[in-house]
Amino acid sequence: MAEILDGKAVAAQIRAEIAEEVAELKDRDFPVRLDVILVGDDPASATYVRMKQKDCEEVGIESRAHRFAADVSEQDLVALVEELNTDPRVSGFFIQLPLPEGLDSMPLVSAIDPSKDVDGLSPLNAGRLSIGLSSLLPCTPHGVIQLLRRSGIEIAGKETVVIGRSNLVGKPLAQLLLRENATVTVCHSRTRDLPEVTRRAEILVVAAGRREMVGVEYVREGAVVVDVGIHGREGGGLVGDVRFDEVEPVASRITPVPGGVGPMTRAMLLYNTLQAARITNAGA
Ligand code: NAD
């Protein structure tokens, strides 16, 4: 039976640390504020934004949402990005993705000042991560690393396999695992004989976006299994990319869905906002 990697508890600990530091900065009159740009009326995006704003409130970070109709022009959005880049009251900001059809996220994300890019997704921050320079890190991969570290899991020297190569999760996670001195294999939709590859993993991270794809045949006995996937379940609730009930008996540690990587992602957004506030206020 596997021990549960409790993302909810670890995230609560990180949020408490952040709240303390935010209070200290505010005592010194340093603003800590997170802005979000929300385009269109996708209900899931609206819910995510509400959750993120609630998270901010809980740790004392001010937040503002800038809402636009789905037919807003790229020009208007770039104008707002440029305004937020130079507004000293704004510590950091992000664009809630995905954007409505017809709007390309890349020119907008690229226009964000890298020191305010709290999603860590701008090309400059992605490049800095890949060559080992400090940067604001993408929240989900950073959350996975923090969860492993704070749960006392040694990463250095381990055989790690990541399923997924997205710019949001798989690729930056592979970079971070390399930085932690793991041996890293990245798998994707064209990988041949996936279970044969993943069975080598002492740490297996699944970010394929395929509901309950990974069963026991993918998992080495005693592996640490991190499930990044999130899918709504019919009749309510959430499931991940891993068949939890089947994998849990062979793994040594495993993340639940919900309560694993999700809360860590949310906590790392707050962490990045604090980092960005420190950068913005450096020298003040
Ligand atoms: P994505 O669709 O952009 O990327 C999926 C990756 O998985 C691709 O690189 C693809 O090649 C690979 N893949 C797809 N099917 C595969 C298969 N059958 N075999 C091997 N590889 C396969 O998705 P993403 O944005 O990286 O997100 C992945 C999952 O994580 C989604 O379920 C998403 O909802 C979830 N997610 C969760 C959080 C969180 O906070 N927990 C954050 C971000 C994303």
Side-chain angles (χ1 to χ4, degrees), residues 48 139-141 162-171 186-191 194 206-211 213 218 227-231 239-241 257 260-266:
Y48 285 134
C139 299
T140 301
V162 179
I163 309 181
R165 59 172 164 184
S166 70
N167 291 334
L168 184 66
V169 186
K171 273 189 219 152
V186 181
C187 299
H188 47 79
S189 51
R190 304 288 290 273
T191 299
L194 186 62
V206 189
R210 298 268 179 261
R211 173 190 302 268
M213 179 186 101
Y218 289 77
D227 188 353
V228 179
I230 308 182
H231 312 273
V239 289
D241 286 359
V257 178
V261 175
M264 293 300 298
T265 297
R266 288 167 64 179

Side-chain angles (χ1 to χ4, degrees), residues 61 79 223 279:
I61 293 176
I279 300 168

Side-chain angles (χ1 to χ4, degrees), residues 85-232:
N85 279 342
T86 53
D87 187 337
R89 294 165 302 178
V90 179
S91 312
F93 64 99
F94 67 96
I95 300 161
Q96 180 65 42
L97 301 175
L99 287 171
E101 218 156 289
L103 277 170
D104 182 5
S105 63
M106 201 32 88
L108 298 168
V109 173
S110 303
I112 299 175
D113 180 333
S115 63
K116 292 193 175 190
D117 168 31
V118 288
D119 266 348
L121 297 176
S122 69
L124 196 97
N125 278 329
R128 289 181 67 90
L129 168 61
S130 77
I131 58 172
L133 295 175
S134 67
S135 60
L136 292 169
L137 298 172
C139 299
T140 301
H142 191 200
V144 170
I145 297 290
Q146 286 294 325
L147 180 59
L148 293 172
R149 276 218 208 131
R150 287 174 180 248
S151 306
I153 292 165
E154 176 78 33
I155 304 174
K158 289 278 169 66
E159 282 286 347
T160 62
V161 174
V162 179
I163 309 181
R165 59 172 164 184
S166 70
N167 291 334
L168 184 66
V169 186
K171 273 189 219 152
L173 180 59
Q175 298 287 358
L176 285 172
L177 288 167
L178 274 178
R179 194 184 272 193
E180 298 287 329
N181 298 311
T183 300
V184 185
T185 303
V186 181
C187 299
H188 47 79
S189 51
R190 304 288 290 273
T191 299
R192 276 183 287 127
D193 199 356
L194 186 62
E196 196 268 324
V197 181
T198 58
R199 274 199 304 270
R200 290 185 220 145
E202 295 172 278
I203 300 174
L204 174 62
V205 185
V206 189
R210 298 268 179 261
R211 173 190 302 268
E212 297 190 305
M213 179 186 101
V214 168
V216 69
E217 71 278 18
Y218 289 77
V219 181
R220 168 175 173 163
E221 178 93 40
V224 173
V225 179
V226 177
D227 188 353
V228 179
I230 308 182
H231 312 273

